[in-house]
Protein backbone atom coordinates (compact mmCIF):
# COMPACT_ATOMS: atom_id res chain seq x y z
CA UNK A 1 0.00 0.00 0.00
CA UNK A 2 2.89 2.39 0.86
CA UNK A 3 4.39 1.95 -2.62
CA UNK A 4 0.98 2.47 -4.25
CA UNK A 5 0.29 5.68 -2.29
CA UNK A 6 3.76 7.07 -3.01
CA UNK A 7 3.45 6.18 -6.69
CA UNK A 8 0.08 7.96 -6.99
CA UNK A 9 1.39 11.11 -5.28
CA UNK A 10 4.40 11.12 -7.62
CA UNK A 11 2.05 11.00 -10.63
CA UNK A 12 1.56 14.72 -11.33
CA UNK A 13 -1.13 14.10 -13.95
CA UNK A 14 -3.19 12.08 -11.43
CA UNK A 15 -2.80 14.78 -8.75
CA UNK A 16 -3.82 17.55 -11.19
CA UNK A 17 -6.95 15.63 -12.34
CA UNK A 18 -8.03 15.13 -8.72
CA UNK A 19 -7.71 18.88 -8.07
CA UNK A 20 -9.64 19.68 -11.27
CA UNK A 21 -12.68 17.72 -10.03
CA UNK A 22 -12.38 19.17 -6.53
CA UNK A 23 -11.17 16.07 -4.72
CA UNK A 24 -8.16 15.58 -2.49
CA UNK A 25 -5.67 13.09 -3.98
CA UNK A 26 -5.32 11.32 -0.60
CA UNK A 27 -9.09 10.63 -0.50
CA UNK A 28 -9.14 9.27 -4.06
CA UNK A 29 -6.07 7.11 -3.40
CA UNK A 30 -7.65 5.63 -0.26
CA UNK A 31 -10.92 4.93 -2.13
CA UNK A 32 -9.09 3.12 -4.96
CA UNK A 33 -7.05 1.06 -2.50
CA UNK A 34 -10.14 -0.02 -0.51
CA UNK A 35 -11.88 -1.09 -3.73
CA UNK A 36 -8.83 -3.13 -4.68
CA UNK A 37 -8.76 -4.77 -1.25
CA UNK A 38 -12.42 -5.72 -1.51
CA UNK A 39 -11.90 -7.14 -5.00
CA UNK A 40 -8.81 -9.10 -3.94
CA UNK A 41 -10.80 -10.81 -1.17
CA UNK A 42 -12.74 -12.85 -3.74
CA UNK A 43 -11.03 -12.38 -7.12
CA UNK A 44 -9.24 -15.29 -8.83
CA UNK A 45 -5.75 -15.11 -10.16
CA UNK A 46 -5.17 -16.18 -13.77
CA UNK A 47 -4.16 -19.79 -13.04
CA UNK A 48 -7.24 -20.24 -10.88
CA UNK A 49 -9.49 -18.71 -13.56
CA UNK A 50 -8.09 -21.04 -16.22
CA UNK A 51 -9.02 -24.09 -14.11
CA UNK A 52 -12.57 -22.83 -13.65
CA UNK A 53 -12.93 -22.03 -17.33
CA UNK A 54 -11.67 -25.52 -18.25
CA UNK A 55 -14.17 -27.21 -15.90
CA UNK A 56 -16.97 -24.97 -17.20
CA UNK A 57 -16.14 -26.04 -20.76
CA UNK A 58 -16.10 -29.74 -19.76
CA UNK A 59 -19.46 -29.58 -17.99
CA UNK A 60 -20.98 -27.60 -20.85
CA UNK A 61 -19.74 -30.24 -23.31
CA UNK A 62 -21.17 -33.09 -21.20
CA UNK A 63 -24.55 -31.39 -20.82
CA UNK A 64 -24.74 -30.79 -24.58
CA UNK A 65 -23.63 -34.24 -25.74
CA UNK A 66 -24.51 -36.56 -22.81
CA UNK A 67 -27.49 -34.77 -21.22
CA UNK A 68 -29.07 -37.77 -19.46
CA UNK A 69 -25.81 -38.95 -17.91
CA UNK A 70 -24.86 -35.39 -16.96
CA UNK A 71 -28.18 -34.67 -15.22
CA UNK A 72 -28.19 -38.08 -13.51
CA UNK A 73 -24.74 -37.32 -12.08
CA UNK A 74 -25.92 -33.91 -10.85
CA UNK A 75 -29.00 -35.44 -9.22
CA UNK A 76 -26.84 -38.09 -7.52
CA UNK A 77 -24.41 -35.43 -6.32
CA UNK A 78 -27.29 -33.60 -4.60
CA UNK A 79 -28.94 -36.72 -3.21
CA UNK A 80 -29.49 -35.23 0.25
CA UNK A 81 -30.55 -31.74 -0.89
CA UNK A 82 -34.20 -31.87 -1.90
CA UNK A 83 -34.29 -28.18 -2.93
CA UNK A 84 -31.53 -28.72 -5.50
CA UNK A 85 -33.10 -32.04 -6.57
CA UNK A 86 -36.35 -30.20 -7.35
CA UNK A 87 -34.52 -27.53 -9.38
CA UNK A 88 -32.58 -30.15 -11.33
CA UNK A 89 -35.75 -32.13 -12.07
CA UNK A 90 -37.34 -28.95 -13.44
CA UNK A 91 -34.29 -28.54 -15.67
CA UNK A 92 -34.64 -32.18 -16.82
CA UNK A 93 -38.24 -31.48 -17.83
CA UNK A 94 -37.15 -28.37 -19.75
CA UNK A 95 -34.56 -30.50 -21.58
CA UNK A 96 -37.26 -33.02 -22.54
CA UNK A 97 -36.14 -35.81 -20.20
CA UNK A 98 -38.37 -37.72 -17.81
CA UNK A 99 -37.33 -38.44 -14.24
CA UNK A 100 -38.85 -41.84 -13.53
CA UNK A 101 -39.64 -43.25 -10.10
CA UNK A 102 -37.59 -46.00 -8.45
CA UNK A 103 -37.91 -49.50 -9.93
CA UNK A 104 -36.41 -52.72 -8.55
CA UNK A 105 -35.80 -53.89 -12.13
CA UNK A 106 -34.02 -50.78 -13.42
CA UNK A 107 -32.83 -48.58 -10.54
CA UNK A 108 -29.29 -48.62 -9.22
CA UNK A 109 -28.01 -47.07 -6.00
CA UNK A 110 -28.01 -43.51 -7.35
CA UNK A 111 -29.71 -41.76 -10.27
CA UNK A 112 -28.85 -43.29 -13.65
CA UNK A 113 -29.86 -42.81 -17.28
CA UNK A 114 -31.65 -45.66 -19.03
CA UNK A 115 -31.68 -46.83 -22.65
CA UNK A 116 -34.39 -44.26 -23.52
CA UNK A 117 -32.23 -41.42 -22.15
CA UNK A 118 -34.64 -40.89 -19.29
CA UNK A 119 -33.41 -40.70 -15.70
CA UNK A 120 -34.28 -43.42 -13.22
CA UNK A 121 -34.53 -42.61 -9.50
CA UNK A 122 -31.93 -44.38 -7.35
CA UNK A 123 -33.08 -46.87 -4.71
CA UNK A 124 -30.69 -45.48 -2.10
CA UNK A 125 -32.47 -42.14 -2.46
CA UNK A 126 -35.60 -43.68 -0.94
CA UNK A 127 -35.87 -42.86 2.75
CA UNK A 128 -35.60 -46.10 4.74
CA UNK A 129 -33.86 -48.18 2.07
CA UNK A 130 -30.16 -47.31 2.11
CA UNK A 131 -27.26 -48.39 -0.08
CA UNK A 132 -26.81 -51.81 1.61
CA UNK A 133 -30.29 -53.02 0.66
CA UNK A 134 -29.98 -51.45 -2.80
CA UNK A 135 -26.68 -53.30 -3.42
CA UNK A 136 -28.24 -56.66 -2.52
CA UNK A 137 -31.23 -56.06 -4.79
CA UNK A 138 -28.90 -55.17 -7.68
CA UNK A 139 -26.76 -58.24 -6.93
CA UNK A 140 -29.80 -60.57 -7.02
CA UNK A 141 -30.97 -58.93 -10.24
CA UNK A 142 -27.56 -59.38 -11.87
CA UNK A 143 -27.32 -63.04 -10.84
CA UNK A 144 -30.87 -64.14 -11.68
CA UNK A 145 -32.13 -61.62 -14.23
CA UNK A 146 -34.94 -59.11 -13.82
CA UNK A 147 -37.63 -59.92 -11.28
CA UNK A 148 -40.73 -61.21 -13.02
CA UNK A 149 -42.97 -61.19 -9.95
CA UNK A 150 -42.79 -60.03 -6.36
CA UNK A 151 -42.42 -63.72 -5.39
CA UNK A 152 -39.35 -63.89 -7.61
CA UNK A 153 -38.03 -60.87 -5.71
CA UNK A 154 -38.35 -62.36 -2.21
CA UNK A 155 -37.04 -65.74 -3.38
CA UNK A 156 -33.75 -64.21 -4.54
CA UNK A 157 -32.84 -61.12 -2.51
CA UNK A 158 -31.03 -61.33 0.82
CA UNK A 159 -33.91 -60.90 3.28
CA UNK A 160 -31.49 -60.26 6.12
CA UNK A 161 -30.49 -57.01 4.40
CA UNK A 162 -33.71 -56.27 2.51
CA UNK A 163 -36.01 -56.37 5.52
CA UNK A 164 -39.64 -55.46 6.19
CA UNK A 165 -38.87 -51.76 6.62
CA UNK A 166 -36.99 -51.67 3.30
CA UNK A 167 -39.79 -53.45 1.44
CA UNK A 168 -42.42 -51.13 2.89
CA UNK A 169 -40.42 -48.13 1.72
CA UNK A 170 -39.89 -49.66 -1.73
CA UNK A 171 -43.60 -50.45 -2.06
CA UNK A 172 -44.79 -46.99 -0.99
CA UNK A 173 -42.27 -45.30 -3.30
CA UNK A 174 -43.56 -47.33 -6.27
CA UNK A 175 -40.47 -49.49 -6.82
CA UNK A 176 -42.64 -52.60 -7.38
CA UNK A 177 -45.12 -50.88 -9.74
CA UNK A 178 -43.63 -52.56 -12.82
CA UNK A 179 -44.36 -56.04 -11.45
CA UNK A 180 -47.66 -57.39 -12.73
CA UNK A 181 -50.84 -57.50 -10.65
CA UNK A 182 -49.70 -55.26 -7.80
CA UNK A 183 -51.11 -52.13 -6.23
CA UNK A 184 -49.17 -50.21 -3.61
CA UNK A 185 -52.02 -50.61 -1.14
CA UNK A 186 -51.91 -54.42 -1.58
CA UNK A 187 -48.60 -54.68 0.27
CA UNK A 188 -50.11 -53.33 3.48
CA UNK A 189 -53.40 -55.25 3.47
CA UNK A 190 -54.45 -58.70 4.64
CA UNK A 191 -56.52 -61.15 2.59
CA UNK A 192 -59.68 -59.90 4.29
CA UNK A 193 -60.84 -57.52 7.02
CA UNK A 194 -60.11 -60.06 9.77
CA UNK A 195 -56.57 -60.78 8.53
CA UNK A 196 -54.17 -58.53 10.44
CA UNK A 197 -51.00 -59.89 8.78
CA UNK A 198 -49.89 -57.69 5.89
CA UNK A 199 -48.95 -59.04 2.48
CA UNK A 200 -45.38 -57.82 3.01
CA UNK A 201 -45.04 -59.90 6.18
CA UNK A 202 -46.39 -62.96 4.36
CA UNK A 203 -44.00 -62.36 1.46
CA UNK A 204 -41.00 -62.23 3.80
CA UNK A 205 -42.06 -65.48 5.51
CA UNK A 206 -42.53 -67.11 2.12
CA UNK A 207 -39.17 -65.86 0.85
CA UNK A 208 -37.36 -67.06 3.98
CA UNK A 209 -38.89 -70.55 3.69
CA UNK A 210 -37.92 -70.85 0.03
CA UNK A 211 -34.37 -69.66 0.70
CA UNK A 212 -34.02 -72.01 3.68
CA UNK A 213 -35.11 -74.94 1.49
CA UNK A 214 -32.62 -73.94 -1.17
CA UNK A 215 -29.82 -73.58 1.35
CA UNK A 216 -30.49 -76.97 2.90
CA UNK A 217 -30.72 -78.54 -0.58
CA UNK A 218 -34.17 -79.98 0.19
CA UNK A 219 -35.37 -80.27 -3.36
CA UNK A 220 -38.69 -81.58 -4.54
CA UNK A 221 -39.15 -84.91 -6.38
CA UNK A 222 -38.53 -83.13 -9.69
CA UNK A 223 -35.34 -81.42 -8.56
CA UNK A 224 -36.92 -77.98 -8.54
CA UNK A 225 -36.55 -75.25 -5.98
CA UNK A 226 -38.65 -72.15 -5.49
CA UNK A 227 -41.58 -72.57 -7.88
CA UNK A 228 -41.69 -76.35 -7.39
CA UNK A 229 -41.50 -76.09 -3.61
CA UNK A 230 -44.34 -77.16 -1.37
CA UNK A 231 -44.39 -73.69 0.19
CA UNK A 232 -47.57 -71.92 -0.84
CA UNK A 233 -47.34 -68.45 -2.27
CA UNK A 234 -49.40 -65.88 -0.34
CA UNK A 235 -52.28 -64.45 -2.36
CA UNK A 236 -52.12 -60.81 -3.41
CA UNK A 237 -54.88 -58.96 -1.49
CA UNK A 238 -57.56 -57.66 -3.83
CA UNK A 239 -57.95 -54.14 -2.46
CA UNK A 240 -58.58 -50.73 -3.96
CA UNK A 241 -55.55 -48.57 -4.57
CA UNK A 242 -55.03 -45.66 -2.19
CA UNK A 243 -56.66 -42.38 -3.25
CA UNK A 244 -54.31 -40.34 -5.44
CA UNK A 245 -53.63 -37.71 -2.79
CA UNK A 246 -52.74 -40.39 -0.20
CA UNK A 247 -50.51 -42.26 -2.65
CA UNK A 248 -48.66 -39.06 -3.60
CA UNK A 249 -48.17 -37.96 0.01
CA UNK A 250 -46.65 -41.34 0.92
CA UNK A 251 -44.41 -41.11 -2.13
CA UNK A 252 -43.27 -37.60 -1.22
CA UNK A 253 -42.52 -38.61 2.37
CA UNK A 254 -40.13 -41.28 1.06
CA UNK A 255 -38.42 -39.64 -1.89
CA UNK A 256 -38.85 -35.99 -0.93
CA UNK A 257 -40.84 -34.89 -3.98
CA UNK A 258 -44.02 -35.65 -5.89
CA UNK A 259 -42.81 -37.85 -8.74
CA UNK A 260 -45.64 -40.01 -10.14
CA UNK A 261 -47.85 -36.93 -10.35
CA UNK A 262 -48.57 -33.78 -8.36
CA UNK A 263 -51.72 -33.21 -6.28
CA UNK A 264 -52.23 -29.94 -8.12
CA UNK A 265 -52.37 -31.67 -11.51
CA UNK A 266 -56.16 -31.96 -11.12
CA UNK A 267 -56.28 -28.16 -11.07
CA UNK A 268 -53.92 -27.55 -13.98
CA UNK A 269 -56.51 -25.52 -15.91
CA UNK A 270 -57.24 -23.27 -12.93
CA UNK A 271 -53.56 -22.66 -12.19
CA UNK A 272 -52.64 -21.96 -15.83
CA UNK A 273 -55.57 -19.58 -16.42
CA UNK A 274 -56.43 -17.90 -13.14
CA UNK A 275 -53.05 -17.70 -11.32
CA UNK A 276 -50.07 -15.39 -11.79
CA UNK A 277 -47.81 -16.50 -14.60
CA UNK A 278 -44.02 -16.78 -14.34
CA UNK A 279 -44.04 -16.02 -10.59
CA UNK A 280 -44.41 -18.79 -8.00
CA UNK A 281 -44.30 -18.98 -4.23
CA UNK A 282 -40.55 -19.68 -4.47
CA UNK A 283 -40.00 -16.26 -6.07
CA UNK A 284 -42.06 -14.51 -3.40
CA UNK A 285 -40.28 -16.43 -0.66
CA UNK A 286 -36.73 -15.85 -1.92
CA UNK A 287 -36.86 -12.27 -3.22
CA UNK A 288 -40.03 -10.69 -1.85
CA UNK A 289 -38.83 -7.05 -1.98
CA UNK A 290 -38.53 -7.34 -5.75
CA UNK A 291 -42.32 -7.73 -5.94
CA UNK A 292 -43.38 -5.02 -3.45
CA UNK A 293 -46.77 -3.39 -4.07
CA UNK A 294 -47.68 -6.00 -6.70
CA UNK A 295 -50.78 -8.18 -6.69
CA UNK A 296 -50.58 -11.94 -7.25
CA UNK A 297 -52.86 -14.96 -7.34
CA UNK A 298 -51.54 -18.38 -6.35
CA UNK A 299 -53.23 -21.77 -6.41
CA UNK A 300 -51.99 -24.50 -4.11
CA UNK A 301 -52.59 -27.12 -1.46
CA UNK A 302 -52.65 -26.46 2.27
CA UNK A 303 -49.88 -28.72 3.61
CA UNK A 304 -49.85 -27.44 7.20
CA UNK A 305 -52.27 -25.43 9.33
CA UNK A 306 -53.00 -24.60 12.94
CA UNK A 307 -55.22 -22.41 15.10
CA UNK A 308 -54.12 -21.04 18.46
CA UNK A 309 -54.57 -18.21 20.95
CA UNK A 310 -52.03 -15.44 21.44
CA UNK A 311 -50.68 -14.26 24.81
CA UNK A 312 -53.33 -11.53 24.95
CA UNK A 313 -56.09 -14.08 24.48
CA UNK A 314 -56.89 -13.36 20.82
CA UNK A 315 -57.25 -16.22 18.30
CA UNK A 316 -54.99 -16.51 15.28
CA UNK A 317 -54.35 -19.08 12.55
CA UNK A 318 -51.60 -20.06 10.12
CA UNK A 319 -51.57 -22.04 6.92
CA UNK A 320 -48.72 -23.19 4.71
CA UNK A 321 -49.57 -23.16 1.02
CA UNK A 322 -47.65 -25.35 -1.44
CA UNK A 323 -47.60 -24.77 -5.20
CA UNK A 324 -45.42 -26.36 -7.89
CA UNK A 325 -42.40 -24.28 -6.84
CA UNK A 326 -42.28 -24.02 -3.04
CA UNK A 327 -44.27 -23.29 0.13
CA UNK A 328 -45.28 -20.07 1.86
CA UNK A 329 -46.70 -19.55 5.35
CA UNK A 330 -49.59 -17.14 5.97
CA UNK A 331 -50.55 -15.68 9.37
CA UNK A 332 -54.08 -14.50 10.10
CA UNK A 333 -54.88 -12.14 12.98
CA UNK A 334 -57.94 -10.05 13.83
CA UNK A 335 -60.36 -9.66 10.91
CA UNK A 336 -58.16 -11.83 8.67
CA UNK A 337 -58.68 -14.66 11.18
CA UNK A 338 -62.46 -14.18 10.97
CA UNK A 339 -62.34 -14.15 7.16
CA UNK A 340 -59.88 -16.96 6.47
CA UNK A 341 -59.55 -19.36 9.41
CA UNK A 342 -61.99 -21.81 7.78
CA UNK A 343 -59.40 -22.39 5.04
CA UNK A 344 -56.74 -23.41 7.58
CA UNK A 345 -57.28 -27.14 7.08
CA UNK A 346 -54.60 -29.49 5.78
CA UNK A 347 -55.43 -30.99 2.37
CA UNK A 348 -57.59 -28.14 1.04
CA UNK A 349 -56.90 -26.84 -2.46
CA UNK A 350 -57.29 -23.08 -2.49
CA UNK A 351 -56.84 -19.96 -4.61
CA UNK A 352 -55.17 -17.07 -2.75
CA UNK A 353 -55.20 -13.48 -3.99
CA UNK A 354 -52.99 -10.96 -2.24
CA UNK A 355 -50.49 -8.10 -2.30
CA UNK A 356 -46.83 -7.83 -1.35
CA UNK A 357 -46.66 -5.14 1.34
CA UNK A 358 -44.83 -4.26 4.54
CA UNK A 359 -45.81 -6.26 7.59
CA UNK A 360 -47.73 -4.41 10.33
CA UNK A 361 -45.39 -2.29 12.50
CA UNK A 362 -42.37 -3.61 10.61
CA UNK A 363 -39.99 -2.87 7.74
CA UNK A 364 -40.23 -6.47 6.51
CA UNK A 365 -42.33 -7.43 3.50
CA UNK A 366 -44.96 -10.17 3.35
CA UNK A 367 -47.44 -11.51 0.83
CA UNK A 368 -50.71 -10.57 2.51
CA UNK A 369 -53.81 -12.54 1.49
CA UNK A 370 -56.83 -10.39 0.60
CA UNK A 371 -59.12 -13.11 -0.78
CA UNK A 372 -59.21 -16.91 -0.50
CA UNK A 373 -61.54 -19.38 -2.20
CA UNK A 374 -61.61 -23.06 -3.05
CA UNK A 375 -59.83 -24.01 -6.27
CA UNK A 376 -62.75 -26.30 -7.09
CA UNK A 377 -65.00 -23.21 -7.38
CA UNK A 378 -62.65 -21.24 -9.65
CA UNK A 379 -63.99 -22.51 -12.97
CA UNK A 380 -67.58 -21.73 -12.00
CA UNK A 381 -66.61 -18.26 -10.76
CA UNK A 382 -64.17 -17.15 -13.46
CA UNK A 383 -64.87 -18.95 -16.76
CA UNK A 384 -67.09 -16.63 -18.78
CA UNK A 385 -66.46 -18.11 -22.21
CA UNK A 386 -64.50 -20.80 -24.05
CA UNK A 387 -63.22 -20.14 -27.56
CA UNK A 388 -62.40 -23.08 -29.85
CA UNK A 389 -59.72 -22.34 -32.48
CA UNK A 390 -60.53 -24.59 -35.44
CA UNK A 391 -58.64 -24.65 -38.79
CA UNK A 392 -61.04 -24.48 -41.72
CA UNK A 393 -59.72 -27.69 -43.28
CA UNK A 394 -60.43 -29.66 -40.06
CA UNK A 395 -64.14 -28.92 -40.02
CA UNK A 396 -66.24 -31.91 -41.04
CA UNK A 397 -69.48 -33.60 -40.02
CA UNK A 398 -67.75 -35.84 -37.46
CA UNK A 399 -66.11 -32.88 -35.65
CA UNK A 400 -69.35 -30.87 -35.66
CA UNK A 401 -71.34 -33.79 -34.23
CA UNK A 402 -68.73 -34.52 -31.56
CA UNK A 403 -68.60 -30.90 -30.40
CA UNK A 404 -72.40 -30.70 -30.35
CA UNK A 405 -72.60 -33.90 -28.27
CA UNK A 406 -69.89 -32.62 -25.93
CA UNK A 407 -71.75 -29.34 -25.42
CA UNK A 408 -74.99 -31.22 -24.77
CA UNK A 409 -73.34 -33.40 -22.11
CA UNK A 410 -71.62 -30.45 -20.42
CA UNK A 411 -74.30 -27.81 -20.04
CA UNK A 412 -73.37 -24.76 -17.99
CA UNK A 413 -73.17 -20.95 -18.02
CA UNK A 414 -70.05 -20.27 -20.12
CA UNK A 415 -70.49 -18.90 -23.63
CA UNK A 416 -69.21 -21.21 -26.40
CA UNK A 417 -67.30 -19.32 -29.10
CA UNK A 418 -65.55 -20.38 -32.29
CA UNK A 419 -62.57 -18.92 -34.13
CA UNK A 420 -62.55 -20.57 -37.57
CA UNK A 421 -59.40 -19.65 -39.50
CA UNK A 422 -57.87 -20.34 -42.89
CA UNK A 423 -54.05 -20.35 -42.49
CA UNK A 424 -53.45 -20.42 -46.26
CA UNK A 425 -55.33 -17.18 -46.96
CA UNK A 426 -54.75 -15.66 -43.52
CA UNK A 427 -58.47 -15.21 -42.92
CA UNK A 428 -60.66 -15.95 -39.91
CA UNK A 429 -64.21 -15.53 -38.67
CA UNK A 430 -65.52 -15.39 -35.08
CA UNK A 431 -68.77 -17.11 -34.20
CA UNK A 432 -70.66 -18.05 -31.06
CA UNK A 433 -73.38 -20.52 -30.18
CA UNK A 434 -76.79 -18.98 -29.47
CA UNK A 435 -78.29 -22.22 -28.18
CA UNK A 436 -75.48 -23.84 -26.17
CA UNK A 437 -73.80 -22.70 -22.97
CA UNK A 438 -71.25 -25.05 -21.45
CA UNK A 439 -69.54 -26.17 -18.27
CA UNK A 440 -65.77 -26.43 -18.68
CA UNK A 441 -65.54 -29.97 -17.30
CA UNK A 442 -62.53 -32.29 -17.30
CA UNK A 443 -64.19 -34.33 -20.08
CA UNK A 444 -64.49 -31.21 -22.21
CA UNK A 445 -60.82 -30.31 -21.71
CA UNK A 446 -59.58 -33.88 -22.28
CA UNK A 447 -61.42 -34.07 -25.60
CA UNK A 448 -59.63 -31.01 -27.00
CA UNK A 449 -56.27 -31.94 -25.51
CA UNK A 450 -56.57 -35.26 -27.38
CA UNK A 451 -57.07 -33.23 -30.58
CA UNK A 452 -54.04 -30.89 -30.78
CA UNK A 453 -55.27 -29.51 -34.12
CA UNK A 454 -58.11 -27.78 -32.21
CA UNK A 455 -56.99 -25.29 -29.63
CA UNK A 456 -59.06 -23.66 -26.91
CA UNK A 457 -58.86 -20.42 -24.99
CA UNK A 458 -60.54 -19.61 -21.69
CA UNK A 459 -61.83 -16.10 -20.98
Amino acid sequence: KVKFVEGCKANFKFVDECKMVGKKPEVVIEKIWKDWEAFASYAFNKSHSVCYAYIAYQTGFLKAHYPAEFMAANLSRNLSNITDITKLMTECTRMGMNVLGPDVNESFIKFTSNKNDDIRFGMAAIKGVGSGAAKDIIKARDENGKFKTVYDFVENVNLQTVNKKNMEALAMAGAFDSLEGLRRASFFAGENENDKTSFIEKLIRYGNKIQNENNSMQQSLFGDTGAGSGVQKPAIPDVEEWPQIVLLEKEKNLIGIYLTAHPLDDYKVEIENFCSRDVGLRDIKNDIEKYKSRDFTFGGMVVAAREATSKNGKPFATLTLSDYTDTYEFFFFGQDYVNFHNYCKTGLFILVKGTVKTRFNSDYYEFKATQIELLSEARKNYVKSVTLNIPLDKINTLIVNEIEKLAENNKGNALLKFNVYDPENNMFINLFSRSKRINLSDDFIQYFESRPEIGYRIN
Side-chain angles (χ1 to χ4, degrees), residues 68-69 96-98 100 106 113-120:
E69 291 84 352
M97 290 181 290
N98 298 311
L100 307 173
E106 192 172 69
S113 60
N114 64 14
K115 61 183 179 182
N116 297 321
D117 285 335
D118 289 323
I119 295 172
R120 179 63 75 176

Side-chain angles (χ1 to χ4, degrees), residues 71-317:
M71 294 306 294
N74 271 286
L75 285 161
S76 297
R77 177 67 182 81
N78 292 278
L79 210 57
S80 59
N81 189 331
I82 194 59
T83 302
D84 286 347
I85 288 277
T86 304
K87 291 178 184 176
L88 289 165
M89 286 181 62
T90 303
E91 176 65 6
C92 288
T93 303
R94 187 198 67 76
M95 294 169 68
M97 290 181 290
N98 298 311
V99 180
L100 307 173
D103 186 324
V104 292
N105 272 330
E106 192 172 69
S107 292
F108 288 87
I109 294 173
K110 296 183 179 181
F111 290 86
T112 50
S113 60
N114 64 14
K115 61 183 179 182
N116 297 321
D117 285 335
D118 289 323
I119 295 172
R120 179 63 75 176
F121 213 90
M123 284 185 284
I126 305 171
K127 191 185 299 181
V129 176
S131 59
K135 284 178 182 177
D136 275 348
I137 292 169
I138 295 164
K139 180 182 177 183
R141 189 174 71 202
D142 289 342
E143 291 176 353
N144 303 286
K146 288 187 176 182
F147 308 111
K148 299 178 180 64
T149 65
V150 72
Y151 306 109
D152 189 24
F153 179 86
V154 294
E155 287 171 10
N156 290 291
V157 299
N158 182 352
L159 294 174
Q160 301 303 311
T161 308
V162 186
N163 55 31
K164 178 186 173 184
K165 180 184 175 184
N166 300 146
M167 286 193 64
E168 287 177 342
L170 288 164
M172 281 192 278
F176 294 114
D177 285 1
S178 63
L179 303 182
E180 192 175 346
L182 289 170
R183 300 185 181 97
R184 297 188 196 183
S186 301
F187 286 93
F188 302 89
E191 284 192 57
N192 52 58
E193 293 180 2
N194 298 320
D195 186 3
K196 303 300 181 185
T197 306
S198 70
F199 182 51
I200 281 183
E201 292 173 300
K202 292 175 182 175
L203 278 171
I204 291 173
R205 290 178 190 171
Y206 166 79
N208 278 320
K209 288 179 181 178
I210 292 294
Q211 291 187 30
N212 288 337
E213 282 194 5
N214 290 345
N215 291 337
S216 61
M217 302 299 292
Q218 292 179 349
Q219 297 180 337
S220 70
L221 178 64
F222 300 101
D224 293 328
T225 59
S229 170
V231 181
Q232 188 173 359
K233 295 176 180 177
I236 299 174
D238 186 16
V239 294
E240 292 293 322
E241 183 60 285
W242 292 318
Q244 179 82 339
I245 186 66
V246 175
L247 185 146
L248 293 176
E249 279 302 315
K250 290 179 182 291
E251 182 178 273
K252 185 185 179 186
N253 288 337
L254 286 162
I255 61 178
I257 47 176
Y258 296 115
L259 194 59
T260 303
H262 194 286
L264 288 174
D265 288 347
D266 291 339
Y267 297 97
K268 184 180 177 182
V269 171
E270 287 82 351
I271 290 170
E272 287 182 349
N273 290 278
F274 312 133
C275 294
S276 301
R277 292 179 177 270
D278 304 322
V279 177
L281 289 176
R282 178 188 296 155
D283 303 298
I284 298 294
K285 189 174 179 178
N286 293 341
D287 195 9
I288 193 166
E289 288 191 28
K290 177 181 176 181
Y291 303 101
K292 60 186 178 183
S293 302
R294 288 178 59 182
D295 297 329
F296 294 100
T297 301
F298 296 112
M301 180 175 68
V302 180
V303 295
R306 71 185 182 99
E307 291 190 51
T309 304
S310 65
K311 291 180 181 179
N312 58 14
K314 294 182 179 180
F316 72 93

Side-chain angles (χ1 to χ4, degrees), residues 15-47:
V15 173
D16 288 342
E17 287 180 352
C18 287
K19 291 177 179 178
M20 285 174 61
V21 295
K23 292 186 178 182
K24 293 181 179 180
E26 293 80 4
V27 175
V28 177
I29 292 168
E30 187 64 26
K31 172 69 168 61
I32 293 171
W33 182 259
K34 284 186 176 179
D35 287 347
W36 278 7
E37 277 188 322
F39 176 72
S41 68
Y42 67 87
F44 293 154
N45 58 35
K46 288 182 180 179
S47 60

